């Protein structure tokens, strides 16, 4: 993830937009996992940030690479914080 953030300024608009959408996808996955662990607030924040990133991906990619870099750093920090609290990935989400 960090390498994606560091190259965000040097890549083209299409690649920048793709990186932003990838981060949004990772946040959505983290939100789903947070629900399994009972972390509703984190799930809501992650899902909201992912939705905002998806909606504004083209604008972030085109207008200001510095703003895109800051958004990706914030998303990365959120995911790192969640991974530190819950280091093991969810294998199954089945509810019985």
């Amino acid at each position: 993830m960090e390498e994606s953030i560091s190259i965000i300024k040097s890549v083209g608009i299409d690649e920048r937009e793709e990186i932003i959408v990838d981060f949004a996808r990772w946040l959505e996955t983290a939100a789903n996992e947070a629900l399994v662990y009972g972390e509703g607030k984190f799930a809501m924040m992650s899902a909201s940030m992912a939705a905002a990133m998806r909606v504004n991906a083209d604008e972030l990619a085109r207008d200001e690479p510095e703003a895109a870099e800051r958004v990706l750093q914030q998303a990365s920090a959120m995911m790192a914080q969640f991974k530190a609290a819950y280091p093991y990935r969810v294998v199954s989400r089945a509810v019985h």
Side-chain angles (χ1 to χ4, degrees), residues 4 6-7 13 30-31 34 39 54 56 65 71-73 75 85 88 91:
S4 296
S6 64
I7 65 167
I13 293 172
E39 293 287 338
R54 279 187 186 273
N56 297 310
V71 168
L72 295 182
Q73 287 172 345
Y88 304 106
V91 177

Side-chain angles (χ1 to χ4, degrees), residues 71-83:
V71 168
L72 295 182
Q73 287 172 345
Q74 290 173 351
S76 179
M78 284 179 63
M79 288 186 285
Q81 188 175 25
F82 181 72
K83 286 182 182 179

Side-chain angles (χ1 to χ4, degrees), residues 33-82:
E33 289 180 5
L35 284 176
V36 171
Y37 286 118
E39 293 287 338
K41 289 181 182 179
F42 179 82
M44 185 176 59
M45 284 191 322
S46 295
S48 297
M49 187 171 190
M53 287 172 69
R54 279 187 186 273
V55 167
N56 297 310
D58 60 338
E59 189 176 312
L60 279 170
R62 229 179 278 133
D63 294 342
E64 293 182 38
E66 294 82 17
E69 183 178 17
R70 280 193 308 271
V71 168
L72 295 182
Q73 287 172 345
Q74 290 173 351
S76 179
M78 284 179 63
M79 288 186 285
Q81 188 175 25
F82 181 72

